[in-house]
Amino acid sequence: MSRVVITGATGGSPNRLEINDFVKNDKFFSLYVQALQIMSAKTAQENVESFFQVGGIHGLPYIPWDGVTGDQPFDPNAQWGGYCTHGSVLFPTWHRPYVMLYEQILQKHAQEVAATYTVDRASWVQAATQLRQPYWDWAANAVPPDQVIALKQVTITGPNGQKVTADNPLYHYKFHPVDPSFPQPYRSWPATLRQPLTTRPNATDNVARLKSIMRSAQSDITSSTYSMLTRVHDWTAFSNHTVGDGGSSSNSLEAIHDGIHVDVGGNGHMATLPSLRLIQSSSCTTVTSTGFSLFGLHSTRSVGQGSDSQDGTFILPPEAPVDQTTPLTPFWSNQTMFWASLARRTLRAWAVQQAIGNIVNQFFRCNLGLGLGAGPGSVASLAAAVPVEKAAAPPAPAAPAAPVQTEAQSFVSTSKQEHSHPVPHPGHHVVPPNQGLFDWTARIEFKKYELGNSFSVFLFLGAVPEEPEQWHISPNFVGGHHAFVNSAAGHCANCRNQGDLLEEGFVHLNQPLHNIRDWIVGARAGGAVLEEGIAADGSVAQLESLEVSVYGTPLSYPPGAMFPVPGQRHRYNHITHGRTGGSRHA
């Protein structure tokens, strides 16, 4: 049996384009739309190179891809469906050959399309050679362009050189047919949906809600990405959402990725099953390479330390040991072997493809609204875009009687004063060490399997809307954390055995903080799980194991430092103690 060997796109290593720039490039976008149409609508779903099959690698319908099976039959009651290595050190490196495969197939079809052009064919053939999967810079702009999420049809340049209107394959994936193994409500939907307000068969997209949710999440996404890239230097903490932040009070790449999946999909699919998800996967590989370049995160060394497979995959049993030599199934590097994390191609050549300096600066320069002295492309300009505000130091832990309101008022008034001043040039010593610069973070902890299904925890500063549908778009919503749980957790032996397994996440507070007294925490439960654990029912649940605590970390900014240097963080239990889901310690 001949295997699909993943080599990636050919023709050198051009930089990927961010999706907002990509849709403005007429040649790339025209070829991309037509190639995706071939992959989605004109290729049988049984074909391993079809859009349906490549998307199915990540989740449903839980069938082998290209004949790759484990030593034991897949057990949906014990293993997480799909091949993705959630919750393990392999998570970032697994996505690299995944994007390579998708890019390889897309380029093949783009080259076929380019060969049909009768006007300026040579330039179209060249464009097809340079075509790469775009990435989505959600830290700079969390709302994707309308060409991805809102337009059912798009204008492209056709083979005769004329502008034509084409059905947009990014907007929906239309099943042909719907796989009977899909659970409800997905079995009743003929196409993928974004943020539907109902689970009925006649459900429709709600693009306006999707945009509102992504705008509401922007500050949290930006702060989380910045903190991860500037403060996480341990591969385990960087790579996956299991407990252990390396003392950084920062989310992992997977935790940020999880939140975006939930924000986009809502009660429906992850946006466009999986066109936007694969753009998201490209984003993950881009951020991973950024971490390698900026901070020396060495995947082969750190993955080599090993961990376990958590819930397992379509191939790996739960809690199996994994390390740098673990095959990244189902991605063949040749006819007999799979890619592994130690492969130089996945670490070095891919890192070269990323425009590292520009990417990191775009994350933060525009969207924090700060004037920077450094020029475009300079990583040094990050230092002026620190998402923290100069604030009065919190009261000493030994004085718990100090009123919380006084602390909050002092923080807010000082923050507002400082925010009105110009941002100093990043090359200067802007704040003496340990004299008022603080990073405020909420840590969320809970037992992953307590509810027996996937759920989200939402944090608010202020009143919580009565209707859960309004939680995500409330002006008082500041962030959350999302637990992806096996949909069969109730009768999953592995889940029961790990009943006390903790999960943690972080919400950064400096941007949204208005009044630290008003911490209110809610948990929203989910039902059936499709692919990335997106909740299919919006019921509210009481999460007994939930504990939200607030940390303050002093920061210094010595001369020549690229980023602020964190000091010893301190936990301020009294801020949330006595509130539902608050700190258990006074």
Side-chain angles (χ1 to χ4, degrees), residues 317-368:
E319 299 182 280
V322 296
D323 60 20
Q324 62 183 359
T325 64
T326 302
L328 300 176
T329 55
F331 307 119
W332 299 97
S333 61
N334 56 46
Q335 290 294 326
T336 59
M337 297 179 63
F338 298 103
W339 283 100
S341 298
L342 53 70
R344 292 188 177 187
R345 165 68 178 174
T346 61
L347 297 178
R348 295 186 179 181
W350 274 59
V352 171
Q353 291 183 17
Q354 319 302 328
I356 299 298
N358 287 334
I359 290 167
V360 178
N361 280 283
Q362 288 172 10
F363 276 166
F364 312 105
R365 183 175 63 232
C366 299
N367 114 79
L368 291 176

Side-chain angles (χ1 to χ4, degrees), residues 460-485:
F460 301 85
L461 284 170
V464 180
E466 292 184 5
E467 296 297 327
E469 290 76 14
Q470 299 299 312
W471 286 5
H472 223 147
I473 57 178
S474 165
N476 294 332
F477 169 69
V478 295
H481 187 66
H482 312 280
F484 293 148
V485 179

Side-chain angles (χ1 to χ4, degrees), residues 291-489:
F292 290 157
S293 178
L294 287 177
F295 308 109
L297 288 169
H298 299 297
S299 171
T300 53
R301 182 181 65 196
S302 301
V303 176
Q305 296 172 0
S307 69
D308 67 66
S309 62
Q310 288 286 301
D311 287 333
T313 70
F314 190 75
I315 294 292
L316 292 169
E319 299 182 280
V322 296
D323 60 20
Q324 62 183 359
T325 64
T326 302
L328 300 176
T329 55
F331 307 119
W332 299 97
S333 61
N334 56 46
Q335 290 294 326
T336 59
M337 297 179 63
F338 298 103
W339 283 100
S341 298
L342 53 70
R344 292 188 177 187
R345 165 68 178 174
T346 61
L347 297 178
R348 295 186 179 181
W350 274 59
V352 171
Q353 291 183 17
Q354 319 302 328
I356 299 298
N358 287 334
I359 290 167
V360 178
N361 280 283
Q362 288 172 10
F363 276 166
F364 312 105
R365 183 175 63 232
C366 299
N367 114 79
L368 291 176
L370 301 175
L372 303 181
S378 170
V379 177
S381 65
L382 276 169
V386 180
V388 296
E389 298 170 344
K390 189 177 180 184
V404 176
Q405 183 172 359
T406 301
E407 174 187 325
Q409 291 173 340
S410 174
F411 182 92
V412 173
S413 62
T414 309
S415 298
K416 289 180 178 178
Q417 278 186 337
E418 293 299 328
H419 193 65
S420 64
H421 294 310
V423 177
H425 188 283
H428 297 151
H429 186 186
V430 295
V431 179
N434 303 320
Q435 290 190 19
L437 195 65
F438 269 80
D439 179 37
W440 292 95
T441 312
R443 179 181 182 271
I444 304 169
E445 178 186 285
F446 50 74
K447 292 182 179 179
K448 179 177 179 179
Y449 294 108
E450 179 179 331
L451 299 183
N453 51 30
S454 294
F455 59 91
S456 300
V457 174
F458 294 83
L459 269 61
F460 301 85
L461 284 170
V464 180
E466 292 184 5
E467 296 297 327
E469 290 76 14
Q470 299 299 312
W471 286 5
H472 223 147
I473 57 178
S474 165
N476 294 332
F477 169 69
V478 295
H481 187 66
H482 312 280
F484 293 148
V485 179
N486 189 325
S487 59

Side-chain angles (χ1 to χ4, degrees), residues 182-233:
F182 285 2
Q184 290 291 8
Y186 311 104
R187 194 186 311 151
S188 301
W189 293 341
T192 55
L193 298 176
R194 307 176 190 84
Q195 287 292 338
L197 293 181
T198 176
T199 57
R200 297 172 183 169
N202 62 348
T204 59
D205 290 302
N206 192 328
V207 176
R209 176 175 171 80
L210 167 59
K211 290 182 177 181
S212 295
I213 286 175
M214 297 311 296
R215 281 193 291 266
S216 178
Q218 181 71 78
S219 176
D220 187 42
I221 294 171
T222 301
S223 298
S224 291
T225 307
Y226 181 89
S227 184
M228 175 189 66
L229 285 175
T230 59
R231 294 177 62 181
V232 179
H233 303 284

